[in-house]
Amino acid sequence: MSETPQTEPNETEISEGIPAPEGASEIIETDYEIGQDNFEAQIGPFGLDVHNPVFAISGAVVIAFVFYTLALPEQAGSIFSWLFSFATKTFDWFFLGAANIFVIFCLLLIVTPLGSVRLGGAEATPDYGYPGWFAMLFAAGMGIGLMFFGVLEPVYHMAVSSPLGVPSPFDADGNLIPENVDAAKAMGLAATIFHWGLHPWAIYAVMALALALFSYNKGLPLTVRSAFYPLLGERVWGWWGHIIDILAVFATLFGLATSLGFGAQQVNAGLNHVFGLPIGATMQVLIITFITAIALVSVVRGLDGGVKVLSEINMVLAAALLIFVLLVGPTLMIFSDFGSGLWNYLVDLVPLSNPVGREDTDFVQGWTSFYWAWWISWSPFVGMFIARVSRGRTVREFVICVLIIPSLVCVLWMAVFGGVAIDQVLSDPATSQVKANVIDSYNPPLSLFAMLEGLPLSSITSVLAVVLVIVFFVTSSDSGSLVIDTITAGGKVDAPVPQRVFWACFEGAVAIVLLLSAGGLSSLQSMVISTGLPFTLVLLVMCIAIWRGLQAERRV
């Protein structure tokens, strides 16, 4: 309706669990009250407080999806396979173009005066220090993916996918072609960093900034629809808003399910590698069930007692594994790979980002399009989680920290794990376990453990890797259920715990049924593409809303 400046700090809460802006901020005056459309009930000892249309439709569709996929796995698998092929081949240009827009938008926020706006009001102070903030950001944002793809992707792009037409260092018989080695190695790292650098973090930053700005500064519910108030006005509380939030729920759920599926396969491969346990769907179902049960304990403990503690444990374990591989591997070469990988990424950033006229269609459609859809599907989850822990930062500080610093850490991770794996492959192709599991026979879940096998103390580091994947797994499930519950509770951040338990259970259920369908891993990827496609439009329009919202704010 209108925006009224608040010139004095206001310590009251503007919504359930969300503090009011501190200092000057342009609060949006609206007739809407958080929870006015919610259905509240007390069922025995359990409370219920859900946004009626969003929760009812999202929950019903997810339950129907689970039962359909279980009842007709072959038919479901065929549909999922067709969806993946159609979306990646038809809309690859759209995914690449949209991701480029998000990067440019974030860079503009850094260099323009709008970057001086403070999230939470002109006098707001950060709720978390840098160590805790970074820990939660990384554990929720990239954890399982870095573990799953850190070895696999650099080696695969070097030897198989040929990004930008760079030839493989191996001939058809598996023999090295010396003149191709340097260019292929450089492209393997550059192409991998491309998928884990500026573009994904720009996607996360756009969503997180929108949620933080319109909740902490404008006084609106912490839900995706709130970001569209500058464009839709009061209509955002009606069916336009319901559709936006429902799309956010589906995108988050299937994006998480994909990560949980990857994590279950990698844990299964690690347990097989270390303890000889069987690899198969039954074991992966048991893994997902077990880890979901652990996640439920974290869900009950809440953000500070659950996610924050697990995230900090993750950071310690991940740093320990990273330092170990760095020290026992070819250390000087790793540092060289870090510098050269970052340089080659920057040099090739524009051609790798080009959305039209590409001849490396396998790389663009099979990898980049999937990744951008995956990050976009994850954006409500990671974005809301980052928003929850980023109050008190200026927009410039926020964007730099979310965009630049995590990208550098991802470069380091890929240079260490991918660089060591590439060195193993090129130094001794005949006996390299990485080559056998990535190039000769494509076995993604085992790639990390194959690399660790070539280093000292592999039995210990493999166990550590399994534990790390499990903790990342638990953190993602916990954080995801928290985010989905916030959306389906109409923006309430302190809704009853049983609702988060419901979503945590069904995140695991969706991952299980997709793994059991005929497509398996490809089914996981298909649903990410399918939900990421419409949500890309949501994010593009969101950029306009953010710009308008920031223009109305006082700069500090």
Side-chain angles (χ1 to χ4, degrees):
M1 297 256 300
S2 65
E3 295 186 351
T4 303
Q6 297 292 310
T7 56
E8 297 296 330
N10 183 353
E11 299 298 332
T12 61
E13 291 191 347
I14 55 176
S15 69
E16 302 279 345
I18 299 176
E22 299 176 39
S25 185
E26 299 289 331
I27 292 179
I28 292 176
E29 290 187 350
T30 173
D31 296 330
Y32 180 81
E33 295 182 7
I34 294 178
Q36 70 178 36
D37 297 324
N38 282 22
F39 173 77
E40 299 183 43
Q42 189 72 27
I43 306 173
F46 304 112
L48 192 65
D49 189 355
V50 296
H51 190 277
N52 192 23
V54 176
F55 182 90
I57 295 173
S58 302
V61 172
V62 168
I63 292 171
F65 174 87
V66 168
F67 281 103
Y68 164 71
T69 308
L70 281 176
L72 299 170
E74 295 292 332
Q75 184 183 88
S78 298
I79 294 174
F80 299 152
S81 178
W82 175 83
L83 282 173
F84 183 82
S85 177
F86 172 76
T88 54
K89 291 180 180 179
T90 307
F91 295 101
D92 55 342
W93 61 271
F94 178 66
F95 284 122
L96 267 68
N100 293 340
I101 291 173
F102 301 139
V103 173
I104 294 170
F105 178 73
C106 287
L107 294 178
L108 284 175
L109 292 178
I110 293 174
V111 301
T112 62
L114 296 179
S116 62
V117 173
R118 187 173 296 278
L119 300 174
E123 299 177 16
T125 56
D127 294 332
Y128 299 95
Y130 282 114
W133 187 36
F134 285 144
M136 288 187 281
L137 187 151
F138 279 108
M142 292 289 187
I144 292 177
L146 286 175
M147 296 295 292
F148 192 90
F149 290 101
V151 169
L152 167 70
E153 198 174 347
V155 174
Y156 190 86
H157 292 328
M158 175 194 71
V160 181
S161 62
S162 298
L164 301 180
V166 174
S168 171
F170 294 100
D171 61 22
D173 297 322
N175 300 311
L176 272 177
I177 307 174
E179 59 269 25
N180 291 353
V181 168
D182 290 341
K185 179 180 178 180
M187 181 51 68
L189 286 172
T192 303
I193 294 168
F194 172 60
H195 289 150
W196 296 85
L198 293 176
H199 285 77
W201 290 100
I203 292 168
Y204 292 161
V206 167
M207 175 61 72
L209 180 58
L211 292 167
L213 174 65
F214 287 95
S215 178
Y216 297 138
N217 292 65
K218 308 295 187 182
L220 299 181
L222 186 64
T223 186
V224 179
R225 72 172 73 197
S226 295
F228 292 86
Y229 193 95
L231 305 177
L232 295 174
E234 291 295 311
R235 289 175 295 172
V236 81
W237 313 123
W239 274 103
W240 280 107
H242 299 340
I243 292 170
I244 290 170
D245 279 351
I246 290 169
L247 284 175
V249 170
F250 291 154
T252 304
L253 190 69
F254 288 111
L256 275 168
T258 300
S259 298
L260 299 184
F262 284 144
Q265 290 184 328
Q266 191 167 33
V267 171
N268 192 184
L271 293 175
N272 172 264
H273 182 74
V274 177
F275 301 111
L277 297 179
I279 292 179
T282 301
M283 181 59 66
Q284 289 163 18
V285 168
L286 291 175
I287 290 169
I288 293 175
T289 303
F290 172 71
I291 295 178
T292 300
I294 299 176
L296 294 179
V297 177
S298 181
V299 163
V300 173
R301 288 178 60 87
L303 183 64
D304 291 330
V307 176
K308 184 174 183 289
V309 172
L310 287 173
S311 298
E312 291 173 345
I313 292 172
N314 262 357
M315 287 292 288
V316 172
L317 294 178
L321 185 61
L322 181 75
I323 292 170
F324 174 82
V325 175
L326 176 64
L327 294 179
V328 303
T331 306
L332 293 178
M333 186 210 71
I334 291 172
F335 282 118
S336 175
D337 286 344
F338 175 81
S340 62
L342 181 59
W343 172 253
N344 288 317
Y345 163 61
L346 295 174
V347 169
D348 292 323
L349 180 59
V350 173
L352 286 170
S353 304
N354 176 30
V356 296
R358 300 284 291 269
E359 295 183 1
D360 52 346
T361 54
D362 289 344
F363 173 77
V364 172
Q365 296 173 1
W367 287 86
T368 306
S369 293
F370 161 69
Y371 267 126
W372 291 176
W374 192 15
W375 304 144
I376 289 167
S377 292
W378 261 53
S379 65
F381 155 46
V382 181
M384 186 173 291
F385 189 73
I386 293 174
R388 286 283 300 273
V389 299
S390 299
R391 184 176 175 275
R393 310 287 177 183
T394 66
V395 170
R396 183 173 293 111
E397 177 188 19
F398 173 87
V399 174
I400 289 174
C401 289
V402 174
L403 188 66
I404 306 298
I405 295 175
S407 295
L408 291 176
V409 175
C410 288
V411 174
L412 177 62
W413 187 278
M414 295 303 178
V416 172
F417 287 82
V420 170
I422 288 175
D423 180 67
Q424 292 176 352
V425 170
L426 296 178
S427 299
D428 192 0
T431 62
S432 170
Q433 290 298 308
V434 175
K435 182 176 182 293
N437 285 281
V438 176
I439 302 172
D440 300 337
S441 60
Y442 189 61
N443 189 4
L446 199 57
S447 57
L448 172 63
F449 303 101
M451 184 274 289
L452 294 175
E453 188 68 25
L455 299 176
L457 304 176
S458 62
S459 59
I460 296 175
T461 55
S462 294
V463 172
L464 176 60
V466 171
V467 172
L468 189 54
V469 173
I470 290 174
V471 182
F472 274 130
F473 200 153
V474 173
T475 308
S476 296
S477 179
D478 184 357
S479 306
S481 61
L482 180 70
V483 168
I484 295 175
D485 181 48
T486 301
I487 297 172
T488 56
K492 290 187 176 181
V493 297
D494 54 358
V497 171
Q499 295 170 200
R500 295 202 297 274
V501 171
F502 169 84
W503 288 113
C505 291
F506 271 90
E507 287 162 18
V510 169
I512 288 171
V513 298
L514 287 173
L515 280 175
L516 293 178
S517 68
L521 186 60
S522 64
S523 295
L524 294 166
Q525 296 173 314
S526 299
M527 293 312 299
V528 164
I529 289 284
S530 303
T531 54
L533 183 59
F535 206 72
T536 304
L537 289 171
V538 173
L539 279 181
L540 287 171
V541 177
M542 189 178 283
C543 292
I544 301 172
I546 291 172
W547 193 269
R548 290 189 180 182
L550 287 173
Q551 286 180 319
E553 286 293 311
R554 180 174 296 183
R555 298 157 199 172
V556 296

mmCIF file of all heavy atoms in Angstrom, residues 189-222:
data_model
loop_
_atom_site.group_PDB
_atom_site.id
_atom_site.type_symbol
_atom_site.label_atom_id
_atom_site.label_comp_id
_atom_site.label_asym_id
_atom_site.label_seq_id
_atom_site.Cartn_x
_atom_site.Cartn_y
_atom_site.Cartn_z
ATOM 1 N N LEU A 189 39.913 -28.035 -14.816
ATOM 2 C CA LEU A 189 39.730 -27.229 -13.615
ATOM 3 C C LEU A 189 38.865 -26.000 -13.880
ATOM 4 O O LEU A 189 37.986 -25.663 -13.085
ATOM 5 C CB LEU A 189 41.094 -26.803 -13.073
ATOM 6 C CG LEU A 189 41.912 -27.902 -12.383
ATOM 7 C CD1 LEU A 189 43.317 -27.407 -12.060
ATOM 8 C CD2 LEU A 189 41.226 -28.367 -11.102
ATOM 9 N N ALA A 190 39.091 -25.329 -15.011
ATOM 10 C CA ALA A 190 38.334 -24.112 -15.315
ATOM 11 C C ALA A 190 36.844 -24.402 -15.463
ATOM 12 O O ALA A 190 35.995 -23.666 -14.954
ATOM 13 C CB ALA A 190 38.877 -23.459 -16.584
ATOM 14 N N ALA A 191 36.517 -25.480 -16.174
ATOM 15 C CA ALA A 191 35.108 -25.829 -16.387
ATOM 16 C C ALA A 191 34.435 -26.216 -15.080
ATOM 17 O O ALA A 191 33.253 -25.913 -14.857
ATOM 18 C CB ALA A 191 34.998 -26.971 -17.396
ATOM 19 N N THR A 192 35.164 -26.880 -14.200
ATOM 20 C CA THR A 192 34.613 -27.252 -12.900
ATOM 21 C C THR A 192 34.374 -26.019 -12.038
ATOM 22 O O THR A 192 33.303 -25.864 -11.422
ATOM 23 C CB THR A 192 35.563 -28.211 -12.164
ATOM 24 O OG1 THR A 192 35.800 -29.361 -12.984
ATOM 25 C CG2 THR A 192 34.974 -28.654 -10.843
ATOM 26 N N ILE A 193 35.359 -25.126 -11.991
ATOM 27 C CA ILE A 193 35.208 -23.895 -11.209
ATOM 28 C C ILE A 193 34.051 -23.071 -11.751
ATOM 29 O O ILE A 193 33.321 -22.417 -10.981
ATOM 30 C CB ILE A 193 36.526 -23.097 -11.242
ATOM 31 C CG1 ILE A 193 37.618 -23.880 -10.507
ATOM 32 C CG2 ILE A 193 36.350 -21.716 -10.618
ATOM 33 C CD1 ILE A 193 39.015 -23.335 -10.730
ATOM 34 N N PHE A 194 33.849 -23.081 -13.058
ATOM 35 C CA PHE A 194 32.731 -22.375 -13.673
ATOM 36 C C PHE A 194 31.400 -22.808 -13.062
ATOM 37 O O PHE A 194 30.520 -21.991 -12.802
ATOM 38 C CB PHE A 194 32.748 -22.649 -15.174
ATOM 39 C CG PHE A 194 31.544 -22.137 -15.926
ATOM 40 C CD1 PHE A 194 31.230 -20.792 -15.941
ATOM 41 C CD2 PHE A 194 30.733 -23.017 -16.621
ATOM 42 C CE1 PHE A 194 30.122 -20.322 -16.642
ATOM 43 C CE2 PHE A 194 29.625 -22.564 -17.328
ATOM 44 C CZ PHE A 194 29.324 -21.212 -17.334
ATOM 45 N N HIS A 195 31.265 -24.102 -12.787
ATOM 46 C CA HIS A 195 30.012 -24.624 -12.234
ATOM 47 C C HIS A 195 29.875 -24.376 -10.738
ATOM 48 O O HIS A 195 28.781 -24.543 -10.190
ATOM 49 C CB HIS A 195 29.906 -26.125 -12.509
ATOM 50 C CG HIS A 195 29.672 -26.452 -13.947
ATOM 51 N ND1 HIS A 195 30.119 -27.623 -14.531
ATOM 52 C CD2 HIS A 195 29.050 -25.755 -14.928
ATOM 53 C CE1 HIS A 195 29.772 -27.635 -15.807
ATOM 54 N NE2 HIS A 195 29.125 -26.516 -16.065
ATOM 55 N N TRP A 196 30.974 -24.005 -10.065
ATOM 56 C CA TRP A 196 30.927 -23.854 -8.613
ATOM 57 C C TRP A 196 31.372 -22.465 -8.158
ATOM 58 O O TRP A 196 31.527 -22.231 -6.957
ATOM 59 C CB TRP A 196 31.829 -24.916 -7.962
ATOM 60 C CG TRP A 196 31.334 -26.296 -8.222
ATOM 61 C CD1 TRP A 196 31.588 -27.072 -9.331
ATOM 62 C CD2 TRP A 196 30.471 -27.072 -7.398
ATOM 63 N NE1 TRP A 196 30.945 -28.273 -9.232
ATOM 64 C CE2 TRP A 196 30.243 -28.309 -8.052
ATOM 65 C CE3 TRP A 196 29.871 -26.845 -6.158
ATOM 66 C CZ2 TRP A 196 29.440 -29.305 -7.518
ATOM 67 C CZ3 TRP A 196 29.076 -27.841 -5.615
ATOM 68 C CH2 TRP A 196 28.867 -29.052 -6.293
ATOM 69 N N GLY A 197 31.539 -21.548 -9.103
ATOM 70 C CA GLY A 197 32.048 -20.231 -8.775
ATOM 71 C C GLY A 197 30.981 -19.160 -8.717
ATOM 72 O O GLY A 197 29.990 -19.259 -7.988
ATOM 73 N N LEU A 198 31.167 -18.100 -9.495
ATOM 74 C CA LEU A 198 30.321 -16.917 -9.381
ATOM 75 C C LEU A 198 28.853 -17.188 -9.670
ATOM 76 O O LEU A 198 27.970 -16.662 -8.987
ATOM 77 C CB LEU A 198 30.827 -15.837 -10.344
ATOM 78 C CG LEU A 198 32.197 -15.237 -10.033
ATOM 79 C CD1 LEU A 198 32.590 -14.247 -11.133
ATOM 80 C CD2 LEU A 198 32.195 -14.544 -8.680
ATOM 81 N N HIS A 199 28.557 -17.989 -10.685
ATOM 82 C CA HIS A 199 27.166 -18.162 -11.115
ATOM 83 C C HIS A 199 26.267 -18.773 -10.036
ATOM 84 O O HIS A 199 25.201 -18.214 -9.743
ATOM 85 C CB HIS A 199 27.107 -18.988 -12.398
ATOM 86 C CG HIS A 199 27.533 -18.230 -13.616
ATOM 87 N ND1 HIS A 199 28.866 -17.988 -13.907
ATOM 88 C CD2 HIS A 199 26.821 -17.646 -14.622
ATOM 89 C CE1 HIS A 199 28.948 -17.291 -15.032
ATOM 90 N NE2 HIS A 199 27.727 -17.079 -15.483
ATOM 91 N N PRO A 200 26.627 -19.896 -9.442
ATOM 92 C CA PRO A 200 25.726 -20.440 -8.409
ATOM 93 C C PRO A 200 25.578 -19.526 -7.207
ATOM 94 O O PRO A 200 24.471 -19.372 -6.668
ATOM 95 C CB PRO A 200 26.387 -21.771 -8.020
ATOM 96 C CG PRO A 200 27.787 -21.679 -8.499
ATOM 97 C CD PRO A 200 27.743 -20.822 -9.716
ATOM 98 N N TRP A 201 26.665 -18.894 -6.796
ATOM 99 C CA TRP A 201 26.564 -18.040 -5.621
ATOM 100 C C TRP A 201 25.799 -16.762 -5.924
ATOM 101 O O TRP A 201 25.183 -16.164 -5.024
ATOM 102 C CB TRP A 201 27.952 -17.755 -5.058
ATOM 103 C CG TRP A 201 28.536 -18.984 -4.444
ATOM 104 C CD1 TRP A 201 29.444 -19.834 -4.994
ATOM 105 C CD2 TRP A 201 28.187 -19.546 -3.174
ATOM 106 N NE1 TRP A 201 29.708 -20.872 -4.141
ATOM 107 C CE2 TRP A 201 28.943 -20.729 -3.019
ATOM 108 C CE3 TRP A 201 27.323 -19.168 -2.154
ATOM 109 C CZ2 TRP A 201 28.855 -21.524 -1.879
ATOM 110 C CZ3 TRP A 201 27.231 -19.960 -1.024
ATOM 111 C CH2 TRP A 201 27.993 -21.131 -0.891
ATOM 112 N N ALA A 202 25.821 -16.315 -7.178
ATOM 113 C CA ALA A 202 24.984 -15.169 -7.557
ATOM 114 C C ALA A 202 23.507 -15.540 -7.470
ATOM 115 O O ALA A 202 22.671 -14.725 -7.043
ATOM 116 C CB ALA A 202 25.341 -14.713 -8.969
ATOM 117 N N ILE A 203 23.174 -16.755 -7.889
ATOM 118 C CA ILE A 203 21.788 -17.225 -7.784
ATOM 119 C C ILE A 203 21.342 -17.227 -6.324
ATOM 120 O O ILE A 203 20.252 -16.743 -5.981
ATOM 121 C CB ILE A 203 21.667 -18.630 -8.406
ATOM 122 C CG1 ILE A 203 21.862 -18.561 -9.921
ATOM 123 C CG2 ILE A 203 20.313 -19.263 -8.072
ATOM 124 C CD1 ILE A 203 22.054 -19.909 -10.584
ATOM 125 N N TYR A 204 22.194 -17.761 -5.447
ATOM 126 C CA TYR A 204 21.858 -17.790 -4.027
ATOM 127 C C TYR A 204 21.738 -16.377 -3.461
ATOM 128 O O TYR A 204 20.849 -16.081 -2.645
ATOM 129 C CB TYR A 204 22.942 -18.540 -3.239
ATOM 130 C CG TYR A 204 23.025 -20.008 -3.525
ATOM 131 C CD1 TYR A 204 24.174 -20.728 -3.213
ATOM 132 C CD2 TYR A 204 21.969 -20.696 -4.112
ATOM 133 C CE1 TYR A 204 24.265 -22.081 -3.461
ATOM 134 C CE2 TYR A 204 22.064 -22.051 -4.362
ATOM 135 C CZ TYR A 204 23.213 -22.741 -4.044
ATOM 136 O OH TYR A 204 23.303 -24.083 -4.291
ATOM 137 N N ALA A 205 22.654 -15.495 -3.874
ATOM 138 C CA ALA A 205 22.669 -14.134 -3.341
ATOM 139 C C ALA A 205 21.395 -13.378 -3.702
ATOM 140 O O ALA A 205 20.862 -12.625 -2.877
ATOM 141 C CB ALA A 205 23.901 -13.386 -3.848
ATOM 142 N N VAL A 206 20.895 -13.561 -4.924
ATOM 143 C CA VAL A 206 19.674 -12.872 -5.345
ATOM 144 C C VAL A 206 18.506 -13.273 -4.454
ATOM 145 O O VAL A 206 17.767 -12.424 -3.928
ATOM 146 C CB VAL A 206 19.353 -13.175 -6.821
ATOM 147 C CG1 VAL A 206 17.937 -12.727 -7.183
ATOM 148 C CG2 VAL A 206 20.361 -12.481 -7.737
ATOM 149 N N MET A 207 18.322 -14.566 -4.262
ATOM 150 C CA MET A 207 17.220 -15.034 -3.439
ATOM 151 C C MET A 207 17.387 -14.597 -1.988
ATOM 152 O O MET A 207 16.439 -14.098 -1.349
ATOM 153 C CB MET A 207 17.111 -16.559 -3.526
ATOM 154 C CG MET A 207 16.064 -17.170 -2.594
ATOM 155 S SD MET A 207 14.385 -16.610 -2.912
ATOM 156 C CE MET A 207 14.046 -17.464 -4.448
ATOM 157 N N ALA A 208 18.580 -14.767 -1.440
ATOM 158 C CA ALA A 208 18.812 -14.420 -0.038
ATOM 159 C C ALA A 208 18.610 -12.932 0.200
ATOM 160 O O ALA A 208 18.014 -12.519 1.212
ATOM 161 C CB ALA A 208 20.225 -14.830 0.375
ATOM 162 N N LEU A 209 19.100 -12.113 -0.715
ATOM 163 C CA LEU A 209 18.954 -10.662 -0.559
ATOM 164 C C LEU A 209 17.494 -10.253 -0.610
ATOM 165 O O LEU A 209 17.043 -9.399 0.175
ATOM 166 C CB LEU A 209 19.750 -9.954 -1.659
ATOM 167 C CG LEU A 209 19.697 -8.424 -1.641
ATOM 168 C CD1 LEU A 209 20.192 -7.881 -0.303
ATOM 169 C CD2 LEU A 209 20.523 -7.863 -2.794
ATOM 170 N N ALA A 210 16.734 -10.837 -1.521
ATOM 171 C CA ALA A 210 15.309 -10.509 -1.621
ATOM 172 C C ALA A 210 14.584 -10.843 -0.321
ATOM 173 O O ALA A 210 13.806 -10.033 0.206
ATOM 174 C CB ALA A 210 14.682 -11.266 -2.790
ATOM 175 N N LEU A 211 14.829 -12.018 0.208
ATOM 176 C CA LEU A 211 14.150 -12.438 1.428
ATOM 177 C C LEU A 211 14.549 -11.555 2.615
ATOM 178 O O LEU A 211 13.700 -11.131 3.408
ATOM 179 C CB LEU A 211 14.473 -13.903 1.719
ATOM 180 C CG LEU A 211 13.885 -14.916 0.733
ATOM 181 C CD1 LEU A 211 14.523 -16.282 0.938
ATOM 182 C CD2 LEU A 211 12.381 -15.009 0.892
ATOM 183 N N ALA A 212 15.854 -11.288 2.741
ATOM 184 C CA ALA A 212 16.324 -10.473 3.864
ATOM 185 C C ALA A 212 15.808 -9.042 3.775
ATOM 186 O O ALA A 212 15.350 -8.461 4.768
ATOM 187 C CB ALA A 212 17.848 -10.494 3.902
ATOM 188 N N LEU A 213 15.865 -8.448 2.596
ATOM 189 C CA LEU A 213 15.456 -7.061 2.422
ATOM 190 C C LEU A 213 13.980 -6.855 2.751
ATOM 191 O O LEU A 213 13.619 -5.954 3.530
ATOM 192 C CB LEU A 213 15.737 -6.615 0.987
ATOM 193 C CG LEU A 213 15.242 -5.221 0.592
ATOM 194 C CD1 LEU A 213 15.976 -4.147 1.380
ATOM 195 C CD2 LEU A 213 15.402 -5.007 -0.904
ATOM 196 N N PHE A 214 13.136 -7.698 2.179
ATOM 197 C CA PHE A 214 11.701 -7.467 2.340
ATOM 198 C C PHE A 214 11.168 -7.964 3.679
ATOM 199 O O PHE A 214 10.082 -7.578 4.091
ATOM 200 C CB PHE A 214 10.933 -8.091 1.179
ATOM 201 C CG PHE A 214 11.101 -7.316 -0.092
ATOM 202 C CD1 PHE A 214 12.066 -7.675 -1.019
ATOM 203 C CD2 PHE A 214 10.327 -6.202 -0.355
ATOM 204 C CE1 PHE A 214 12.249 -6.942 -2.182
ATOM 205 C CE2 PHE A 214 10.496 -5.463 -1.507
ATOM 206 C CZ PHE A 214 11.467 -5.830 -2.429
ATOM 207 N N SER A 215 11.935 -8.773 4.359
ATOM 208 C CA SER A 215 11.530 -9.193 5.698
ATOM 209 C C SER A 215 12.108 -8.267 6.756
ATOM 210 O O SER A 215 11.384 -7.686 7.564
ATOM 211 C CB SER A 215 11.974 -10.631 5.956
ATOM 212 O OG SER A 215 11.626 -11.033 7.260
ATOM 213 N N TYR A 216 13.438 -8.101 6.765
ATOM 214 C CA TYR A 216 14.099 -7.353 7.829
ATOM 215 C C TYR A 216 13.963 -5.845 7.670
ATOM 216 O O TYR A 216 13.998 -5.115 8.662
ATOM 217 C CB TYR A 216 15.577 -7.725 7.891
ATOM 218 C CG TYR A 216 15.820 -9.171 8.238
ATOM 219 C CD1 TYR A 216 16.800 -9.909 7.582
ATOM 220 C CD2 TYR A 216 15.080 -9.803 9.221
ATOM 221 C CE1 TYR A 216 17.035 -11.236 7.898
ATOM 222 C CE2 TYR A 216 15.296 -11.130 9.543
ATOM 223 C CZ TYR A 216 16.275 -11.846 8.883
ATOM 224 O OH TYR A 216 16.500 -13.148 9.201
ATOM 225 N N ASN A 217 13.853 -5.355 6.441
ATOM 226 C CA ASN A 217 13.754 -3.914 6.220
ATOM 227 C C ASN A 217 12.328 -3.439 5.953
ATOM 228 O O ASN A 217 11.959 -2.329 6.343
ATOM 229 C CB ASN A 217 14.635 -3.489 5.047
ATOM 230 C CG ASN A 217 16.116 -3.632 5.353
ATOM 231 O OD1 ASN A 217 16.606 -4.728 5.552
ATOM 232 N ND2 ASN A 217 16.833 -2.522 5.391
ATOM 233 N N LYS A 218 11.541 -4.266 5.280
ATOM 234 C CA LYS A 218 10.205 -3.837 4.868
ATOM 235 C C LYS A 218 9.108 -4.340 5.799
ATOM 236 O O LYS A 218 7.952 -3.925 5.672
ATOM 237 C CB LYS A 218 9.908 -4.327 3.449
ATOM 238 C CG LYS A 218 10.969 -3.968 2.410
ATOM 239 C CD LYS A 218 11.074 -2.479 2.183
ATOM 240 C CE LYS A 218 12.000 -2.154 1.027
ATOM 241 N NZ LYS A 218 12.152 -0.698 0.827
ATOM 242 N N GLY A 219 9.449 -5.273 6.695
ATOM 243 C CA GLY A 219 8.454 -5.745 7.649
ATOM 244 C C GLY A 219 7.475 -6.757 7.103
ATOM 245 O O GLY A 219 6.397 -6.945 7.672
ATOM 246 N N LEU A 220 7.831 -7.447 6.013
ATOM 247 C CA LEU A 220 6.941 -8.436 5.409
ATOM 248 C C LEU A 220 7.324 -9.835 5.863
ATOM 249 O O LEU A 220 8.424 -10.060 6.368
ATOM 250 C CB LEU A 220 7.011 -8.325 3.876
ATOM 251 C CG LEU A 220 6.573 -6.972 3.290
ATOM 252 C CD1 LEU A 220 6.669 -7.005 1.767
ATOM 253 C CD2 LEU A 220 5.161 -6.603 3.720
ATOM 254 N N PRO A 221 6.450 -10.823 5.674
ATOM 255 C CA PRO A 221 6.762 -12.197 6.089
ATOM 256 C C PRO A 221 8.013 -12.734 5.394
ATOM 257 O O PRO A 221 8.309 -12.360 4.253
ATOM 258 C CB PRO A 221 5.518 -12.990 5.661
ATOM 259 C CG PRO A 221 4.433 -11.981 5.558
ATOM 260 C CD PRO A 221 5.085 -10.706 5.126
ATOM 261 N N LEU A 222 8.731 -13.603 6.080
ATOM 262 C CA LEU A 222 9.926 -14.221 5.512
ATOM 263 C C LEU A 222 9.504 -15.359 4.581
ATOM 264 O O LEU A 222 9.609 -16.542 4.901
ATOM 265 C CB LEU A 222 10.834 -14.751 6.621
ATOM 266 C CG LEU A 222 12.190 -15.286 6.170
ATOM 267 C CD1 LEU A 222 13.034 -14.181 5.565
ATOM 268 C CD2 LEU A 222 12.925 -15.940 7.338
#
